[in-house]
Amino acid sequence: MESAHILAVEDSEITLFKLKAILVRLGYTVTTYANPVLALEWLNTSGVKPDLVMTDVMMPEMDGFTFVRSIRAMPSLAAVPIIMLTSVSDVEARVNGLKAGADDYLNKSVTPTELELRVKALLSRSQADETTFVQSVGRTISVFSQRGGVGTTSVAINLSIAIAQLWGIDVCLWDLALKGGHCATMMNLKPKNSLAELGELGGENIEASLLEKFLVKHEAGVYLMPAPPSVSESELVTSKVVDQVMPFLQVRSPYLIVDAGNHLNEPVMNVLERSDAILLTLAPDIASVKSCSDALDVFEQLGYDLRKVYLVINNIFPMRLLPVKQIVSVLKNRPYHEIPYDSSGFVRAINTGEPLVATAPKSEAGLALISLAYRLSYKSMETSKKAEKASPLLDLFHKLRPQ
Ligand SMILES: Nc1ncnc2c1ncn2[C@@H]1O[C@H](COP(=O)(O)OP(=O)(O)OP(=O)(O)O)[C@@H](O)[C@H]1O
Ligand SMILES: [Mg+2]
């Protein structure tokens, strides 16, 4: 295959030189400009259509946002993937970059490995067609069930930790189970603030730096956006708050996992609609299968693409009450994944506040959760088989997973 052509625009000669060296080593054709105005001129006159554009934010003559908007205004480049280069702390620039039309952001201090992963992920995403959509799950994954108590929160927490640990990346976990969010308790975290305060403010423009303050870090690399402490305060997390917060969380970390709870209210529908994948958790019993079927009907009525809905059977009972075959025939949908029953593991996890994948990754249920995380993320994360420094969890998973 012909190598992809990357246009890099950055006013610092040193950063530009470094970027180019890495990208050329990876086999890409690279064109560089220190001035965005000259880069636009080149795009307009040369007829070259790069496969990917990387641009700095602060540059003389034209800033990165205007540059991105100018590219998007060119019909032949309206869909080209664009990466904004920002400094580590510049969360606001990332959000503004996305608003201007960028697809992703990268810290300037990025390691060559991370750079390679992100570039490959964006290039392959832009080359993907309708048929590959189902296999390559995007980076916002919501976990939902129309029925309570089937393990939605357990799946969301363990999925977040497993993705963070498998790939050595940050993951955001948003507790949107507004009628009683349990993520903080189950992760032994003690949030001081919650998004309910934003509802009270009712502001239009929320600074990214303010949102950052609501996040609570778990040592496994997961940043939790906690649920408000009471049901009445949860009502302040409206669909408008979702509009303001979701774009920030989607660029804050490579993955956003949402515990969408078990109430299909307006803010939850808003999040599900914008998610790349919805994991619908169900237990193998009649009531749960019925709720799952209802949820699928509602999703269809709402016009969601049902290809983004993945059924996850969670065995919360010691015995199987309904065989998978029967579940498939009722739901007309094959389960994507199954998590075995593990009473002591999950009870210990709740009592100690230490999620299962962090404490018992080798247990059957731990391994099933890691495997779920792997299946959902490896296409975009494991783009290079060779040079990646494997994480201890990835090593363990490769050793122990059933063939
Ligand atoms: N595979 C499993 N095996 C055994 N117990 C499990 C399993 N998955 C979850 N549990 C247990 O089931 C209970 C409910 O789990 P969890 O809180 O994750 O579900 P939920 O759907 O989020 O519930 P809620 O409706 O309260 O939000 C917990 O006690 C949890 O430990
Ligand atoms: Mg829950």
Side-chain angles (χ1 to χ4, degrees):
M1 204 177 81
E2 212 184 314
S3 79
H5 190 156
I6 298 177
L7 167 65
V9 184
E10 154 72 64
D11 64 331
S12 150
E13 299 281 353
I14 298 174
T15 311
L16 199 57
F17 182 80
K18 233 173 61 187
L19 263 180
K20 184 170 180 174
I22 298 170
L23 293 169
V24 167
R25 209 167 49 235
L26 292 171
Y28 297 115
T29 306
V30 186
T31 300
T32 57
Y33 276 94
N35 181 329
V37 176
L38 296 180
L40 280 179
E41 208 175 292
W42 173 73
L43 286 170
N44 276 318
T45 54
S46 69
V48 175
K49 185 179 164 296
D51 300 293
L52 187 138
V53 176
M54 305 178 90
T55 173
D56 189 13
V57 178
M58 305 283 282
M59 293 178 287
E61 290 196 56
M62 180 185 275
D63 66 25
F65 309 127
T66 315
F67 179 62
V68 170
R69 275 193 292 271
S70 311
I71 291 183
R72 287 285 177 246
M74 299 179 184
S76 66
L77 291 174
V80 67
I82 304 179
I83 298 182
M84 304 276 320
L85 301 163
T86 63
S87 56
V88 183
S89 55
D90 212 348
V91 179
E92 228 169 308
R94 294 174 189 174
V95 176
N96 288 335
L98 289 190
K99 276 191 196 154
D103 298 277
D104 206 345
Y105 65 87
L106 265 182
N107 290 330
K108 287 193 185 176
S109 52
V110 65
T111 62
T113 307
E114 164 88 335
L115 177 69
E116 181 180 5
L117 279 176
R118 302 281 277 273
V119 166
K120 281 191 175 162
L122 260 189
L123 282 171
S124 63
R125 221 190 297 167
S126 81
Q127 283 153 3
D129 60 14
E130 283 289 292
T131 50
T132 55
F133 172 76
V134 178
Q135 287 135 28
S136 54
V137 175
R139 293 177 170 206
T140 300
I141 304 172
S142 289
V143 190
F144 176 77
S145 163
Q146 188 96 293
R147 185 173 168 80
V150 295
T152 303
T153 303
S154 301
V155 170
I157 291 175
N158 283 290
L159 181 62
S160 309
I161 293 186
I163 291 181
Q165 297 278 304
L166 277 172
W167 310 112
I169 55 172
D170 277 5
V171 170
C172 263
L173 169 62
W174 189 0
D175 191 347
L176 201 68
L178 298 176
K179 301 244 171 197
H182 297 128
C183 287
T185 316
M186 284 163 71
M187 297 170 85
N188 209 5
L189 296 173
K190 297 182 179 53
K192 292 196 184 68
N193 309 89
S194 86
L195 286 176
E197 291 163 37
L198 288 187
E200 278 165 353
L201 291 173
E204 283 293 326
N205 296 314
I206 295 164
E207 299 272 324
S209 54
L210 171 66
L211 293 175
E212 186 72 31
K213 293 201 180 101
F214 291 117
L215 297 172
V216 199
K217 186 177 179 186
H218 183 274
E219 60 190 10
V222 173
Y223 288 78
L224 174 70
M225 179 61 89
S230 69
V231 174
S232 59
E233 279 171 276
S234 289
E235 280 164 15
L236 294 167
V237 182
T238 57
S239 194
K240 190 172 154 219
V241 170
V242 167
D243 285 341
Q244 292 167 317
V245 174
M246 191 152 177
F248 160 75
L249 292 181
Q250 285 179 305
V251 297
R252 166 65 180 71
S253 304
Y255 274 89
L256 168 62
I257 311 295
V258 184
D259 177 356
N262 50 49
H263 286 272
L264 212 46
N265 53 21
E266 216 186 304
V268 167
M269 282 192 276
N270 190 353
V271 166
L272 294 183
E273 187 172 335
R274 299 189 205 191
S275 298
D276 299 306
I278 302 172
L279 302 191
L280 203 49
T281 37
L282 72 151
D285 71 324
I286 290 171
S288 185
V289 171
K290 167 86 177 58
S291 311
C292 190
S293 167
D294 291 347
L296 286 168
D297 286 347
V298 176
F299 291 169
E300 197 165 9
Q301 282 159 24
L302 290 171
Y304 294 176
D305 184 344
L306 291 186
R307 291 175 305 172
K308 76 175 188 181
V309 182
Y310 297 76
L311 302 185
V312 176
I313 297 183
N314 186 18
N315 289 283
I316 53 169
F317 313 112
M319 76 279 265
R320 180 186 283 288
L321 301 176
L322 267 186
V324 172
K325 232 166 106 186
Q326 227 166 316
I327 298 176
V328 174
S329 77
V330 175
L331 296 176
K332 317 243 173 333
N333 217 315
R334 283 210 75 73
Y336 177 73
H337 206 79
E338 185 164 356
I339 298 158
Y341 176 71
D342 181 345
S343 67
S344 57
F346 280 96
V347 169
R348 201 178 326 112
I350 289 191
N351 286 341
T352 58
E354 303 227 39
L356 196 77
V357 293
T359 52
K362 294 185 194 167
S363 66
E364 225 188 307
L367 214 53
L369 287 159
I370 296 164
S371 163
L372 174 65
Y374 181 83
R375 289 182 72 191
L376 290 166
S377 60
Y378 82 96
K379 277 253 159 67
S380 60
M381 297 309 294
E382 204 182 50
T383 44
S384 164
K385 298 265 181 279
K386 44 184 170 39
E388 304 322 318
K389 252 202 277 149
S391 72
L393 191 64
L394 191 58
D395 270 350
L396 180 82
F397 175 66
H398 282 317
K399 262 186 223 129
L400 296 183
R401 74 168 159 176
Q403 293 309 308

